[in-house]
Amino acid sequence: MAVTQQAYQLVIDGRQVSSASGQTAVLTNPATGEAAAVVSVAGEEDVDRAVHSARSAFEEGVWPRMPASERGRALMRIAGLLRDRAESLARLEVLSSGKPIKDARAEVLAAAECFEYYAGAATKWFGETIPVTDRGLDFTLREPIGVVGLIVPWNFPLMIASWKVAPALAVGNTAVLKPASATPLTALALGAIALEADLPAGVVNVIAGPGATAGMALVRHPHVGKIAFTGETKTGIEIMKAAADTMTRVSLELGGKSPNVIFADADLSRAIPAAVSAVFSNAGQDCCARSRVYIERSIYDRAVAALVGETERLRTGDPLEEDTQIGSLISFSHRDRVRGYIQVGIQEGASVLCGGAPPKDPALARGAYLLPAVLGSVQNAMRVVQEEIFGPVACAIPFSDEAEVLRMVNDSPYGLSASIWTRDISRALRMAQAIKSGVVSINSNHSVHQEAPFGGVKMSGFGRELGMHALELYTDVKNVFISGA
Ligand code: NDP
């Protein structure tokens, strides 16, 4: 298909503009293999323009100085526009991500909810008074940092962008958002919506461009006060090292290899469908994907048969069809990588209990589809259990008792999310405390709640997004003492 429409433009200094070099890129729709859109590609010059615009909006503009309630109302206007445009934004997201339209709609609504939450939070973030020994009054101010650089991945493009933009703006920062090269469309749309919502020029800039150049230029820019990053662990390490040169603080939401522990006393009628959704939603391209499914030995065969049956019933298909549950993966090269991992598993001795190959339906042959796979005969030390696959692959692993499963669960470089299924509340609480991860859910597959902190430990990064905790990432604490002597 020839792409004839105009390039999607960057958002810099209150305007939608082409990149300084005029460079563009053609995005591929991974569900069809066809060209989907043309996008302006930012280079270092564009990053510099965006940061300067954000800096003057912060240093000289009204945004950080306006009453917090007024900033909150501006965020509410963004939320309203996101809701009004939910269908077109969801379709835009599907175009470059291949995710099911129902999921894309839910993510746009989650982005709107995020702006609504931080619209209200803007007036509820304040300092404290401290009874110091010296005579006088001591109090703290919560101050915005300045220009913040926000770098996001391709798996939940608009939603993760909103997790960063909304809290950063609520407390008075100005932002430069860099979306993933594969999925920049909804981030660019968000930038345009911010202009329509009457945010002052420079408060939200969006620069789509390659991570290694545009992303790194943002990280290294001397006028960026903080980088909030979501993406792969190895990219996070690079960013942290580069940010050290300018003492730029970072928060890092990185990879995961999360466990789902199913005890014999669990309600399997809930635990199995939830386990399937916890690993295969978004085709497993989810940092929280609970891809290590630990099942107590006494129910292992029965639970694995149910897991495989439920997985085989998932509908893999055209992302624009309403009943599709698994769309295409993000790209053909990513599908190759995921299939490579399945081969690694087989070489290590695992057996493929279902899926793991492209669907036979000829209508899907041109897309990067992969049927969700369950691997059995898996040992905890295998690479498929230790490494993040970021695709639709679950490993089913038996365990004998609580102590053994706890050892296996914590024997991982990552620590993002975990689920526990049991009717024994004492055991659930012991496990929740002993598991090394940032998030634990009991008898639930929900890792993320807008109102609660989210983030990882170990190689899954540090810093907590969402809830009021996110505001800590975007503010400095200043202590003020007034002598009473
Ligand atoms: P990447 O780390 O490859 O990319 C993430 C973002 O960083 C993209 O915008 C990318 O740009 C940019 N980038 C890449 N290299 C650099 C660099 N050297 N300097 C600055 N920016 C750079 O991750 P993916 O997009 O592949 O996303 C998948 C990963 O994200 C998985 O590991 C997943 O676990 C993790 N993730 C973590 C979450 C969490 O909350 N913990 C949530 C969601 C995902 P470009 O696209 O141009 O390369």
Side-chain angles (χ1 to χ4, degrees):
M1 182 185 85
V3 178
T4 49
Q5 82 257 34
Q6 275 199 319
Y8 286 84
Q9 290 184 305
L10 314 176
V11 178
I12 299 177
D13 200 26
R15 291 188 310 126
Q16 290 179 274
V17 292
S18 300
S19 61
S21 68
Q23 198 192 332
T24 57
V26 177
L27 298 185
T28 302
N29 180 340
T32 61
E34 291 176 343
V38 185
V39 188
S40 282
V41 176
E44 292 182 17
E45 194 181 327
D46 302 294
V47 173
D48 192 51
R49 275 167 55 216
V51 173
H52 276 99
S53 168
R55 187 171 182 227
S56 60
F58 185 80
E59 301 284 340
E60 297 145 33
V62 293
W63 186 255
R65 289 160 199 91
M66 68 172 58
S69 55
E70 214 174 303
R71 275 200 304 274
R73 280 195 292 279
L75 297 193
M76 212 60 182
R77 291 196 294 275
I78 293 180
L81 289 165
L82 288 171
R83 284 188 185 279
D84 292 348
R85 314 258 162 92
E87 188 60 27
S88 60
L89 286 166
R91 285 177 182 271
L92 203 56
E93 199 79 292
V94 171
L95 195 62
S96 61
S97 68
K99 66 171 66 217
I101 183 72
K102 270 192 181 161
D103 295 356
R105 277 188 203 119
E107 289 167 31
V108 177
L109 295 180
E113 275 167 20
C114 183
F115 276 94
E116 285 156 1
Y117 178 90
Y118 289 108
T123 50
K124 294 159 197 73
W125 186 243
F126 36 73
E128 55 208 329
T129 54
I130 301 171
V132 294
T133 304
D134 283 344
R135 260 173 67 87
L137 176 66
D138 191 282
F139 62 92
T140 59
L141 299 173
R142 300 271 195 176
E143 298 187 329
I145 292 166
V147 179
V148 296
L150 312 173
I151 304 179
V152 297
W154 47 257
N155 56 344
F156 300 106
L158 179 63
M159 196 176 78
I160 294 183
S162 73
W163 290 6
K164 298 187 187 327
V165 173
L169 297 191
V171 289
N173 297 286
T174 58
V176 179
L177 169 65
K178 197 212 86 66
S181 295
T183 54
L185 301 180
T186 50
L188 294 168
L190 176 63
I193 282 175
L195 300 184
E196 218 177 314
D198 274 339
L199 270 72
V203 171
V204 179
N205 303 271
V206 187
I207 45 132
T213 50
M216 215 10 113
L218 187 59
V219 173
R220 291 193 184 283
H221 203 292
H223 296 317
V224 170
K226 184 231 158 61
I227 292 286
F229 170 76
T230 298
E232 285 182 35
T233 295
K234 70 173 171 37
T235 317
I237 292 169
E238 256 183 77
I239 285 177
M240 199 170 161
K241 285 181 180 163
D245 290 338
T246 43
M247 205 55 83
T248 302
R249 81 203 69 185
V250 294
S251 51
L252 303 171
E253 300 285 2
L254 308 176
K257 187 77 187 179
S258 297
N260 191 356
V261 181
I262 304 175
F263 286 96
D265 68 343
D267 176 354
L268 288 191
S269 69
R270 288 181 58 220
I272 297 298
V276 167
S277 141
V279 57
F280 295 129
S281 66
N282 211 40
Q285 302 166 126
D286 179 350
C287 52
C288 288
R290 258 86 8 110
S291 52
R292 297 187 283 148
V293 187
Y294 296 99
I295 302 169
E296 195 161 356
R297 211 173 282 281
S298 60
I299 58 158
Y300 182 81
D301 290 343
R302 185 159 58 95
V304 169
L307 189 67
V308 168
E310 195 82 26
T311 302
E312 286 178 327
R313 276 193 288 282
L314 289 173
R315 195 175 177 291
T316 301
D318 179 345
L320 288 172
E321 282 178 16
E322 292 293 332
D323 57 353
T324 290
Q325 292 166 292
I326 311 267
S328 76
L329 300 195
I330 187 66
S331 65
F332 295 90
S333 58
H334 188 57
R335 182 176 69 174
D336 290 345
R337 181 176 175 273
V338 174
R339 295 187 77 183
Y341 262 112
I342 295 173
Q343 285 311 310
V344 166
I346 293 169
Q347 281 153 20
E348 288 179 312
S351 52
V352 180
L353 304 179
C354 66
K360 293 212 167 62
D361 182 351
L364 304 179
R366 289 176 310 143
Y369 296 93
L370 187 66
L371 293 171
V374 178
L375 305 186
S377 310
V378 178
Q379 305 294 322
N380 214 54
M382 287 181 179
R383 280 183 62 198
V384 284
V385 179
Q386 291 293 320
E387 296 177 20
E388 183 181 47
I389 299 176
F390 218 60
V393 182
C395 295
I397 310 157
F399 68 89
S400 300
D401 57 30
E402 195 179 314
E404 185 194 22
V405 76
L406 194 55
R407 259 196 316 277
M408 290 197 286
V409 160
N410 284 339
D411 176 22
S412 167
Y414 296 108
L416 187 55
S417 179
S419 287
I420 305 162
W421 291 85
T422 178
R423 287 188 168 95
D424 179 343
I425 189 68
S426 303
R427 173 160 63 193
L429 290 176
R430 277 196 305 275
M431 291 285 293
Q433 289 174 84
I435 290 176
K436 292 187 170 46
S437 72
V439 176
V440 174
S441 53
I442 297 166
N443 296 331
S444 163
N445 61 343
H446 291 165
S447 285
V448 172
H449 310 268
Q450 171 57 59
E451 304 78 8
F454 173 76
V457 299
K458 302 199 279 184
M459 299 304 270
S460 293
F462 52 82
R464 293 292 177 267
E465 298 197 301
L466 300 178
M468 297 303 278
H469 286 257
L471 301 179
E472 281 170 19
L473 302 180
Y474 297 104
T475 40
D476 278 322
V477 177
K478 180 185 278 174
N479 192 70
V480 180
F481 174 71
I482 310 171
S483 172

